[in-house]
Amino acid sequence: MRAAMVPEAGADFEVVEKPVPDPAPDEVRVAVDACGVCHSDVFVKEGTFPGVSYPRTPGHEVVGHVDAVGDDVSMWSEGDRVGAGWHGGHCHSCEACRRGNFLQCENAEITGLTFDGGYAEYATVPAEAVAAVPEDLDAVDAAPLLCAGVTTYNALRNSDASAGDVVAVVGVGGLGHLGVQYAHAAGFETVAISRSPEKRDLALDLGADHFVDASERDPAEALQELGGAKVVLSTAPSADAIESVVGGIGTDGDVVVVGIPGEPVPVDIQHLVGTAGSVSGWGSGDARDSQDTLEFSDLRDITPVVERFSLDDVDEAYDRMVSNEARFRAVLDIAGDD
């Protein structure tokens, strides 16, 4: 099979021929149709995640078909359409797993980081890390939903917001353009906040009821004019952007951060005390969460805006992703290479 691997931290990708892997007893082998290129792949490319071993094939937004199953696998069969996301399996025995918090597993595997991922024609994945993919979803469209999609969808559905509440999404990019769609589909009064006024029309087309140009006005004031936000989903990895919206939450409001900035975030504690508000973080989700995201996206026709690349163009795809030039998710169309 062909695979794009990183031979060592900081090295360029190498597209190589290597043997098709056999699944372990508790794994399935996936014939990959598409794999998203996510900013978290920087952890592998640059070696910034502890314990990454090389060579390594990245990719944790994997969509394809089950090609083979391990001897102990009963829940999946050859031909099943499946996907795998960031959460690549759990130990079933640590305290978090015993409480059903698989994403917080103390010994969690990560697809494309602790084992080879989807920048390849085949990948083996632990059976518990696999999600069913609806047949109606195009593989290239489905791939980003296994990271950007599940992160934003899961954050919103686990919040305290109810239909009709004011929910704001900060950033209309790789995460935010999906967050706006999910917020609209969930029945929230949806506010898109961006420092790029040229994204106004896109945000409104995606379902936003309001657009706030944060380069021209204070987003917190704008949210308070709407009665205060119940939830602000912050997708922009900027400390300034997060700080700027804390004052916009109403009573029991929450700023939920999914875009991680590289620096500390100053927080207006007085406003949090006065509103009984909070600033919290959210990760992605386990395989069942990913499947819920895919099923909801299929139900409500929610798809990402993507740029397609062949496996041979992995360097271009990665460079456009890491420079924030991709609009809005870069995806390797593996099946399209055939």
Side-chain angles (χ1 to χ4, degrees):
M1 71 173 188
R2 300 172 71 242
M5 71 175 190
V6 181
E8 60 183 5
D12 293 335
F13 287 103
E14 295 180 3
V15 179
V16 300
E17 295 276 351
K18 58 186 296 188
V20 175
D22 291 322
D26 61 347
E27 294 179 336
V28 300
R29 184 171 67 208
V30 178
V32 181
D33 293 325
C35 185
V37 180
C38 179
H39 199 275
S40 297
D41 295 339
V42 172
F43 290 140
V44 178
K45 183 70 163 56
E46 304 302 330
T48 53
F49 195 93
V52 179
S53 60
Y54 295 90
R56 174 66 70 225
T57 295
H60 58 272
E61 297 178 348
V62 188
V63 174
H65 293 79
V66 174
D67 175 70
V69 298
D71 292 340
D72 296 339
V73 175
S74 59
M75 63 184 299
W76 304 106
S77 302
E78 291 183 24
D80 287 346
R81 194 162 191 244
V82 298
W86 173 265
H87 180 67
H90 42 273
C91 70
H92 303 277
S93 59
C94 71
E95 185 65 15
C97 283
R98 293 182 65 200
R99 295 185 180 276
N101 298 321
F102 301 130
L103 196 62
Q104 281 71 47
C105 172
E106 297 170 12
N107 306 295
E109 298 287 342
I110 301 173
T111 309
L113 198 152
T114 62
F115 60 90
D116 285 339
Y119 287 22
E121 292 176 329
Y122 295 89
T124 54
V125 182
E128 77 270 13
V130 174
V133 177
E135 291 294 338
D136 291 339
L137 283 179
D138 180 81
V140 170
D141 289 337
L145 302 181
L146 289 156
C147 186
V150 66
T151 298
T152 50
Y153 174 75
N154 222 15
L156 288 172
R157 73 166 178 170
N158 283 281
S159 75
D160 291 331
S162 300
D165 285 341
V166 174
V167 171
V169 179
V170 180
V172 186
L175 290 165
H177 87 288
L178 286 167
V180 170
Q181 293 182 73
Y182 289 130
H184 170 74
F188 304 140
E189 184 175 353
T190 304
V191 185
I193 300 173
S194 174
R195 295 187 59 83
S196 302
E198 67 274 11
K199 291 183 177 178
R200 175 186 296 272
D201 289 344
L202 171 65
L204 297 176
D205 287 344
L206 293 174
D209 299 294
H210 313 276
F211 180 86
V212 176
D213 178 1
S215 68
E216 292 291 333
R217 65 173 308 189
D218 183 348
E221 291 183 0
L223 291 175
Q224 288 299 338
E225 289 177 6
L226 294 170
K230 183 65 173 180
V231 171
V232 179
L233 180 67
S234 182
T235 71
S238 163
D240 289 342
I242 297 168
E243 180 187 11
S244 72
V245 295
V246 172
I249 60 174
T251 301
D252 294 323
D254 187 14
V255 177
V256 182
V257 179
V258 296
I260 304 172
E263 61 279 345
V265 179
V267 176
D268 183 353
I269 297 298
Q270 181 173 340
H271 184 74
L272 294 183
V273 171
T275 58
S278 60
V279 177
S280 62
W282 188 266
S284 54
D286 58 29
R288 183 64 246 191
D289 295 322
S290 290
Q291 187 166 322
D292 290 345
T293 303
L294 292 162
E295 291 170 349
F296 184 81
S297 300
D298 183 40
L299 179 69
R300 290 290 177 254
D301 295 322
I302 294 173
T303 56
V305 178
V306 302
E307 295 183 2
R308 297 178 184 233
F309 298 86
S310 70
L311 187 60
D312 287 326
D313 293 328
V314 62
D315 287 302
E316 181 185 359
Y318 180 85
D319 289 345
R320 285 187 62 78
M321 175 279 297
V322 81
S323 63
N324 293 319
E325 293 180 359
R327 186 176 171 94
F328 287 105
R329 305 294 295 188
V331 181
L332 300 176
D333 187 359
I334 308 295
D337 288 350
D338 295 339

